[in-house]
Each structure stands twice: as C-alpha cells, then as structure tokens.
C-alpha cells in the first residue's frame, strides 16, 4: 500500500532516517528575533546547523509578534518566515513550525489584544500566571483562556489560515506544531477542553493542508500530572507524538544527567498514545567554558532557584549516551534545546534577566564557537542512524484512565520497571 497525504508526511519522521535537529532562536536576538529579523544571520546559523549533519529545525511564531490584532497576521512576518523557509531548503533542512507561542523560556508571551485583568486571566501550570510579557516587556496583566475563549480561538484559526495557506507547498515545511508546552501557558479550565481544542485545531490544519503532519509540543508535565492535556487524548488527534524532557528539572531522574530519563519519557508517551515519538526537546545548560559541573542559586521571578549546570564535557558525554538510546526505544528523531547560548547584551531583557540558566543551553557559545556536544551530534549524524519500529505495549500495565488517576506514582513505578528491563536487555 502506498501512503499518501499526511500519512506519508508522518512516515517521513517514522520509517526513514532518524531525524537530528535543534530548536532555534538566534544567539544575538533570542525572543526578539522577529522584531529584529536579520536574514543574513539566519543564513549563517542554518548553514552551521546543516554542517553538523542536522536535517530538522524547530522555529517559533511568537504570538505577540505575529498577530498584532486578532483578525490580522503581520504580512512582514509572513514574508520573513518564507525567507527562512527558502534558506532552510537551500541547506536541505526541514522546519517544525510552532504556533501560539505562548510559553517560552520562563515567561508567557501574550498578544496585547489578549490581555485582561490578572484576576480574570487563564491559569498557567494550574497556578497564578507566570511572568507575562507583551511587546517585549513584563506586564501586570493576565490573558484570555486560549482553549475556550471565542476571541482566542478565532484568532488562532486566523493565524493557522494565513501561515499554512501561504506556505503549505513550500519544500522546507516538515511539521505543523500547535504550541510549545501549552499547559505552561494555560491549563484547560473545564474537563475535556484541552482535548476539544486539540481536535478542532488539528482539523483546521488538515482542512488547510492535508499533506503535512501536525502535532502539539507537550512536555513531561503531561506525563506526570493530569493537567488537561493528557498525551493519550492529545495525540489521538495528531499525526505524530512528541515529548520534551530534561532530567535536571525532574525529581523522577536518578541524577541531573540521567541518560535513560528522556528515552523513557518517549517510550511511555508511545505506550500511552499508541504512536511513535519525536524527542522534540531535550538537552542541558552548561557552566562557563573550562569550569566543572556546578549548581547555581539565585532569585528568579521572586523565588529562590537552584539549577544544575553541567560542564561542557559532561553534557557532551550525556548527549552521546542519550542519542543511541533514543534510537533504541524507537524515537523518530531528536531536537536539542537549543541552538545557541545568548549574547550578554540580552541578559537585561526577558526572559534572560530572570531565567539565567536559559542563557547557556546552546550548541554554540555566544561567540559562535561550537561546544563539545555539537561535535558529538556531528559524529552521530555521520553514522546515518535509522529509526526502529519498537512497540511499547508491554511497558504500560494499566489503562490510560488508571494511569492518569495517579500519574506520578505510575511514572516512578514504570521507570523502575523500564530500567530493570534495560539492565537485562
């Protein structure tokens, strides 16, 4: 049988070469990229990414910059994204285009037209809103519920329509993505709201473009708690499942550079969703060049923060351990977070003024030189890894409903089981 349409697009990530890629913001721009777009800078960065053997780049449509009014998408942004697509195609790169951003690197970035009194705004992470940034600066406001508010849903469909209608035929488009860790932007307030939103937005994408796959950028929180965006429900509507996970953030991990944690989250997502999984975000933040692994402590968003910072050599070793494990568990590919450490000129602006560790997640340093784990990726790409058709039915010994009745308890138990099986494999 010959696959067609979006099934064939999904197969590009499932049954061929293991995709290697990176999440992209420019090192001298960070989240101000679209407000200060520089095509020459993007060209240099994409050339470097391609030289490392990567084939997939995730880009983020910062909602605040892309949609100045709920019924209007910036024509300038559309032209810039088309230029990014042209450059990506020149270097043989595909794009994972992420809409409704939304949550990014600590704060939540909300369009000005979505802002409301904080008391009436949506809740992020099930708690009071995170720092809200609009037009590049923090604001003491909240924002509308993206899942059920009629203005937000209408605006979302306008953005999908304009972008996809303009770019659905471009050879650089690989994947449409309906958000970055959307539960950190807002929890669905009503039972089933997240499921209905995913169903409706996925249907809107498919009406516009039946040829490319669609997903939603969920992270490990959707495995460890019932936040209204369960992986079995969300990915029942999409073509591809994805997962974001970082052992330095998760108490489930045995240590901050636990090489089995990210592959396990992919295996568990596959078991719950019945679909193979792209490891869409993982990686680590590094200590300054030449310094050993260390723990940083500072006040972040009004609270004490403690963050493990790996030595560059330790992170390189970690990456070298995780990549083959992702192939072993049947992941369709790997996208590191992120392309670059950010230039110090950005340290006084959101999100880097508070999220200090986010300054140092890159494959390249602020001066553009490569960190050791970039060379690890290049060497791994040279082996031309292929995906494996691995089934994870046996990992999950409860139903999805039973799992989400006590998700963290089950995740701990199943991780122990996973490690035991791997030890005897």
């Amino acid at each position: 049988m010959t696959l067609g349409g979006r099934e064939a697009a999904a197969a590009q990530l499932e049954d061929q070469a293991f995709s290697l890629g990176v999440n992209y913001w420019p090192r001298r721009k960070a989240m101000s990229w679209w407000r200060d777009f520089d095509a020459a800078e993007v060209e240099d960065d994409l050339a470097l990414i391609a030289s490392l053997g990567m084939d997939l780049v995730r880009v983020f449509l910062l909602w605040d910059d892309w949609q100045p009014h709920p019924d209007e998408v910036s024509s300038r942004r559309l032209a810039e994204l088309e230029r990014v697509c042209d450059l990506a195609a020149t270097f043989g790169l595909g794009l994972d285009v992420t809409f409704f951003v939304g949550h990014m690197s600590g704060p939540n970035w909300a369009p000005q037209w979505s802002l409301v009194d904080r008391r009436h705004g949506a809740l992020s992470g099930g708690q009071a809103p995170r720092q809200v940034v609009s037009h590049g600066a923090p604001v003491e406001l909240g924002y509308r519920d993206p899942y059920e508010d009629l203005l937000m849903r209408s605006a979302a469909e306008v953005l999908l329509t304009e972008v996809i209608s303009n770019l659905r035929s471009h050879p650089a488009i690989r994947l449409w993505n309906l958000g970055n860790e959307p539960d950190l932007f807002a929890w669905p307030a009503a039972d089933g709201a997240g499921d209905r939103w995913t169903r409706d937005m996925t249907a809107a994408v498919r009406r516009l473009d039946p040829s490319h796959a669609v997903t939603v950028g969920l992270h490990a929180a959707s495995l460890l708690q019932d936040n209204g965006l369960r992986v079995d429900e969300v990915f029942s509507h999409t073509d591809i499942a994805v997962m974001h996970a970082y052992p330095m953030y998760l108490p489930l991990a045995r240590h901050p550079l636990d090489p089995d944690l990210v592959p396990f989250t992919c295996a568990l997502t596959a078991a719950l969703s019945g679909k193979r999984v792209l490891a869409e975000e993982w990686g680590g933040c590094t200590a300054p060049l030449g310094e050993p692994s260390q723990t940083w402590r500072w006040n972040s968003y009004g609270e004490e923060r403690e963050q493990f910072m790996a030595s560059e050599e330790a992170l390189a070793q970690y990456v070298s351990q995780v990549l083959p494990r992702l192939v072993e568990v049947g992941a369709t590919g790997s996208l590191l977070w992120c392309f670059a450490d950010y230039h110090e000129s950005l340290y006084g602006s959101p999100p880097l003024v508070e999220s200090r560790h986010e300054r140092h997640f890159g494959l390249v340093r602020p001066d553009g030189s490569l960190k050791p784990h970039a060379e690890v990726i290049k060497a791994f790409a040279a082996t031309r890894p292929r995906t494996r058709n691995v089934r994870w039915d046996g990992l999950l010994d409860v139903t999805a409903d039973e799992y989400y009745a006590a998700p963290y308890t089950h995740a701990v138990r199943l991780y122990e089981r996973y490690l035991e099986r791997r030890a005897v494999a």
Side-chain angles (χ1 to χ4, degrees):
M1 178 182 293
T2 301
L3 293 176
R6 58 185 175 82
E7 290 84 1
Q12 290 179 8
L13 288 175
E14 291 184 357
D15 298 313
Q16 299 183 16
F18 181 86
S19 288
L20 287 165
V22 69
N23 292 267
Y24 178 71
W25 294 103
R27 59 192 169 92
R28 292 184 179 273
K29 304 289 172 52
M31 279 92 257
S32 68
W33 177 28
W34 297 109
R35 282 175 278 126
D36 191 15
F37 185 80
D38 182 344
E41 176 184 49
V42 176
E43 183 173 11
D44 289 345
D45 291 345
L46 295 183
L48 176 58
I49 290 168
S51 76
L52 295 175
M54 294 184 175
D55 64 276
L56 186 59
V57 179
R58 186 173 177 221
V59 297
F60 302 88
L61 310 191
L62 198 68
W63 209 347
D64 192 28
D65 292 338
W66 270 79
Q67 204 161 2
H69 305 286
D71 60 351
E72 177 191 355
V73 175
S74 168
S75 59
R76 181 175 179 178
R77 297 288 93 84
L78 284 168
E80 290 164 351
L81 180 57
E82 184 173 7
R83 179 64 175 142
V84 174
C85 288
D86 290 344
L87 291 169
T90 298
F91 296 111
L93 298 169
L95 296 181
D96 172 346
V97 179
T98 302
F99 295 95
F100 318 132
V101 184
H103 176 75
M104 181 53 58
S105 299
N108 289 337
W109 307 70
Q112 191 170 44
W113 48 262
S114 73
L115 299 176
V116 296
D117 187 289
R118 187 179 285 267
R119 294 170 296 176
H120 307 300
L123 297 180
S124 56
Q127 302 170 357
R130 292 167 173 259
Q131 182 187 71
V132 178
V133 176
S134 191
H135 284 197
V139 295
E140 293 299 322
L141 293 167
Y143 41 83
R144 297 168 180 264
D145 178 356
Y147 306 105
E148 296 188 286
D149 182 272
L150 294 180
L151 181 68
M152 293 289 274
R153 286 181 62 107
S154 174
E157 294 207 21
V158 168
L159 183 59
L160 291 175
T161 299
E162 289 297 313
V163 173
I164 296 174
S165 296
N166 277 275
L167 293 171
R168 60 193 168 199
S169 299
H170 200 288
I173 298 299
R174 183 86 64 86
L175 181 62
W176 301 118
N177 192 322
L178 296 172
N180 180 60
E181 302 174 1
D183 71 293
L184 293 180
F185 189 68
W187 275 26
D191 289 344
D195 181 59
R196 291 189 295 272
W197 180 88
T198 306
R199 179 199 64 198
D200 294 346
M201 292 298 122
T202 300
V205 173
R206 288 175 177 159
R207 285 194 297 270
L208 294 161
D209 181 3
S211 299
H212 290 100
V214 60
T215 193
V216 182
L218 298 188
H219 68 135
S222 291
L223 288 173
L224 304 180
Q225 58 189 176
D226 187 352
N227 56 24
L229 294 164
R230 290 170 36 162
V231 299
D232 62 313
E233 295 177 345
V234 167
F235 295 135
S236 71
H237 301 295
T238 67
D239 302 301
I240 291 168
V242 303
M243 185 45 53
H244 307 176
Y246 301 84
M248 64 282 299
Y249 293 161
L250 298 173
L252 182 68
R254 295 169 293 177
H255 52 82
L257 295 178
D258 183 345
D260 289 301
L261 192 281
V262 172
F264 166 72
T265 63
C266 291
L268 182 56
T269 300
L272 283 162
S273 69
K275 295 183 178 176
R276 296 172 68 190
V277 180
L278 170 67
E280 191 180 52
E281 269 194 41
W282 66 283
C285 39
T286 57
L289 176 63
E291 294 190 17
S293 297
Q294 55 199 256
T295 299
W296 287 6
R297 296 174 179 84
W298 74 100
N299 189 277
S300 176
Y301 304 107
E303 298 181 356
E304 290 297 318
R305 169 124 195 183
E306 183 175 292
Q307 181 62 54
F308 174 81
M309 309 291 290
S311 72
E312 289 190 355
E313 293 73 22
L315 188 68
Q317 182 180 22
Y318 168 70
V319 171
S320 73
Q321 294 171 324
V322 174
L323 285 170
R325 284 169 166 83
L326 287 173
V327 174
E328 289 172 10
V329 301
T332 61
S334 154
L335 277 75
L336 264 288
W337 185 271
C338 58
F339 170 66
D341 286 3
Y342 299 120
H343 192 269
E344 63 181 12
S345 62
L346 302 174
Y347 288 3
S349 303
L352 303 180
V353 64
E354 300 276 1
S355 299
R356 296 182 185 178
H357 62 300
E358 293 281 356
R359 304 169 181 176
H360 307 285
F361 262 101
L363 283 167
V364 303
R365 304 183 186 95
D367 63 2
S369 59
L370 295 178
K371 292 185 186 178
H373 69 289
E375 297 291 355
V376 168
I377 293 170
K378 184 176 182 179
F380 188 75
T383 69
R384 300 183 180 276
R386 308 289 294 182
T387 61
R388 299 181 185 179
N389 189 11
V390 180
R391 297 185 63 86
W392 285 101
D393 299 341
L395 176 64
L396 194 65
D397 55 5
V398 293
T399 67
D401 286 341
E402 290 169 337
Y403 176 87
Y404 276 104
Y408 189 81
T409 299
H410 283 301
V412 170
R413 179 180 61 82
L414 293 172
Y415 190 35
E416 293 175 353
R417 184 180 183 185
Y418 171 88
L419 292 171
E420 289 171 358
R421 289 187 175 188
R422 193 174 191 286
V424 299

